[in-house]
Amino acid sequence: MKKTIIFALFLVPLYLWAQDNASLTPSDYLKVYQQLHAHPELSGQEKNTADFLKKQLQSWGYTLQDSLGFYSFAAVLKNGKGPTVLYRTDMDALPVEEQTGLPFASSVKALKDGIETPVMHACGHDAHMVTWLAVAEYMTKHPKSWKGTLVLLAQSAEEIGQGARMAIAQPNFKKLPTPNYQIAMHNNADLAVGQVGFCDGYAMAAVDMMNITIHGIGGHGAVPQNAIDPIVLSAQYITEIQTIVSRNLPPTESAVITVGAIQGGTIGNVIPSQVELKLTIRSFSPQARQLILDRLKAIGDGLAASAGLPPSLWPEYHLLDMSIGPVYNDSAMGKLVAESIQKKLGKQAIVPVEPIMIGEDFGMYRGNPAIPSYLVWMGTLTSETQEKYKSQKQKNPSLHSAQFAPDYQASLPVSIQAMTLALHGLFAAK
């Protein structure tokens, strides 16, 4: 893949932290990427990352709006009359021990729930930030190429689905200019460098997490007739709820119900009094989501009643306070962005992609009434790397994998150019 942009356009003195707190001066954004990758921070702990980004944006004339929850902040640049465009990046990393073998691989460890754990940028947020930062500099250095107001949002805690929710709830978020358009990007391990993925409509799923307590009446394992076994009820329940998607939703409606954890009992000859189930629920439309939630309760209550349990021992359903909505990509906005990108990168750069059931809290900013929003996918691997994995009969290391290692030298220039073009297309919109 021929590189269509050079980093000379974006060279500036940049200052990053090191583990000994000494300042570093990378020569270009490739070095910035290496440093961000080597110094990841977990969700809600992104202090150093946020401080670095803030310093750079202030040096370029952006006005900061802080206190947006965790370490989230916004930077605003006004440049005459025109649309207001919000461009979001995420900042957090994952509790994953890196296995890429890169010379700048993360060796960071941090406390998560009181336990020291390895940390890695296994979802590409380091590349998201570098792209965002390079675009931010370009926009301030080329004010004659656009008119309007640019709102750059750096968000904490995307990986735990709480960053956007927290930001929106803060009083300072309401002080930001109301966007006409909102955009974000995400790396894609299955797209080649130079490809920009578009998915109109529902692109990423709404996410709900639910804990369910299945009650029973405990007893001796040798006399089950004197008990009501919650383990058997749980087995029936887990099997039965898989019919919700296949038999209660239209075949054209996508959804997923996964029971990821079962906790119950202590020993083989004792029937316990309860079992705990932990679920994740993925859906697109509000109607499908509500149907799933209703059916989860109806099936559980029905099984409990049929087992002879009184209503006081029917299941308890705890929907955790961490639900996020789906990512819905506005098709008209997507057309503007795609047209702007393909003018420079060619039609072959625009690639349709299918919706996925992975969650992303960017959709939370869409609001009601809805603000036109779009999340685009950026290819991360060169065709040569993809062929290497194929020849070895291996799949590309996915997002959240300990082996996830984008071809950053080739992919970052393209993502920077594509996102710069996308913003110019939105600022030129009538």
Side-chain angles (χ1 to χ4, degrees):
M1 175 62 67
K2 182 180 178 181
K3 294 181 182 179
T4 56
I5 186 172
I6 58 175
F7 273 103
L9 290 172
F10 301 102
L11 301 186
V12 289
L14 296 174
Y15 300 92
L16 281 169
W17 65 93
Q19 288 179 325
D20 60 0
N21 293 322
S23 294
L24 301 175
T25 309
S27 61
D28 55 36
Y29 279 96
L30 296 180
K31 185 66 174 179
V32 177
Y33 173 82
Q34 293 173 2
Q35 292 293 329
L36 287 171
H37 186 87
H39 298 88
E41 294 177 292
L42 288 174
S43 302
Q45 301 180 24
E46 312 93 333
K47 181 181 185 303
N48 290 328
T49 304
D51 285 347
F52 161 64
L53 296 176
K54 289 177 187 177
K55 289 177 182 177
Q56 289 310 127
L57 292 163
Q58 282 183 307
S59 72
W60 296 330
Y62 284 84
T63 300
L64 296 186
Q65 181 65 73
D66 219 330
S67 300
L68 297 181
F70 298 113
Y71 291 99
S72 298
F73 71 93
V76 180
L77 184 65
K78 295 183 178 181
N79 186 36
K81 293 183 178 180
T84 296
V85 179
L86 182 147
Y87 173 18
R88 187 218 68 170
T89 186
D90 30 24
M91 298 187 290
D92 52 332
L94 286 158
V96 173
E97 185 171 8
E98 183 161 355
Q99 298 174 14
T100 62
L102 292 168
F104 52 90
S106 169
S107 60
V108 171
K109 292 186 177 180
L111 291 179
K112 177 175 171 57
D113 300 325
I115 300 173
E116 188 176 66
T117 183
V119 186
M120 176 192 174
H121 270 301
C123 198
H125 296 187
D126 44 1
H128 300 176
M129 286 186 282
V130 171
T131 300
W132 182 88
L133 195 62
V135 172
E137 186 201 359
Y138 187 90
M139 300 302 282
T140 194
K141 297 294 178 63
H142 298 81
K144 293 183 179 180
S145 67
W146 64 283
K147 293 295 181 184
T149 298
L150 176 59
V151 180
L152 297 173
L153 177 61
Q155 182 199 303
S156 295
E158 186 278 328
E159 294 292 359
I160 61 173
Q162 296 303 294
R165 174 195 297 275
M166 182 72 78
I168 293 167
Q170 304 309 308
N172 280 351
F173 187 82
K174 298 176 177 61
K175 297 178 182 179
L176 296 174
T178 301
N180 298 104
Y181 301 102
Q182 300 178 138
I183 193 166
M185 62 155 279
H186 206 298
N187 281 350
N188 189 310
D190 294 321
L191 292 180
V193 171
Q195 293 182 322
V196 184
F198 286 78
C199 178
D200 290 349
Y202 290 112
M204 302 182 77
V207 179
D208 290 291
M209 306 295 286
M210 178 179 281
N211 294 343
I212 300 176
T213 303
I214 304 292
H215 293 286
I217 297 175
H220 199 295
V223 285
Q225 70 274 16
N226 294 332
I228 296 179
D229 193 338
I231 290 181
V232 172
L233 277 175
S234 297
Q236 294 174 320
Y237 183 71
I238 292 168
T239 300
E240 185 65 23
I241 62 176
Q242 295 307 315
T243 65
I244 295 174
V245 174
S246 66
R247 288 297 176 265
N248 296 133
L249 290 176
T252 54
E253 182 85 45
S254 296
V256 172
I257 303 170
T258 295
V259 179
I262 309 171
Q263 298 169 346
T266 57
I267 192 170
N269 62 354
V270 175
I271 294 172
S273 60
Q274 65 182 46
V275 173
E276 300 291 334
L277 307 180
K278 296 183 179 182
L279 288 71
T280 185
I281 304 153
R282 309 297 171 108
S283 59
F284 287 124
S285 71
Q287 295 80 10
R289 175 181 181 270
Q290 191 59 53
L291 183 146
I292 291 170
L293 296 178
D294 291 344
R295 290 295 294 150
L296 285 170
K297 185 177 187 307
I299 291 170
D301 291 353
L303 286 172
S306 67
L309 287 168
S312 62
L313 290 179
W314 288 4
E316 297 177 56
Y317 309 90
H318 304 283
L319 185 63
L320 304 187
D321 187 23
M322 54 187 299
S323 299
I324 62 173
V327 172
Y328 185 89
N329 284 336
D330 183 88
S331 59
M333 178 180 169
K335 183 178 180 182
L336 285 173
V337 171
E339 288 176 348
S340 183
I341 291 174
Q342 72 181 27
K343 285 179 182 177
K344 294 290 185 180
L345 300 185
K347 289 184 178 181
Q348 73 281 357
I350 308 303
V351 178
V353 298
E354 295 295 320
I356 60 173
M357 302 310 295
I358 294 172
E360 226 288 0
D361 67 1
F362 176 65
M364 300 289 287
Y365 296 108
R366 189 163 171 254
N368 186 17
I371 298 169
S373 306
Y374 214 99
L375 184 145
V376 296
W377 295 100
M378 293 290 171
T380 59
L381 298 181
T382 63
S383 56
E384 292 80 9
T385 300
Q386 289 183 321
E387 284 300 318
K388 181 190 74 172
Y389 286 124
K390 187 177 180 180
S391 67
Q392 296 173 350
K393 297 183 179 180
Q394 296 179 6
K395 291 185 177 181
N396 302 339
S398 66
L399 300 174
H400 291 212
S401 164
Q403 290 85 33
F404 179 64
D407 289 323
Y408 69 99
Q409 292 175 310
S411 62
L412 281 174
V414 177
S415 65
I416 291 169
Q417 188 176 36
M419 292 306 293
T420 303
L421 292 167
L423 289 186
H424 278 84
L426 295 175
F427 280 118
K430 302 299 183 183

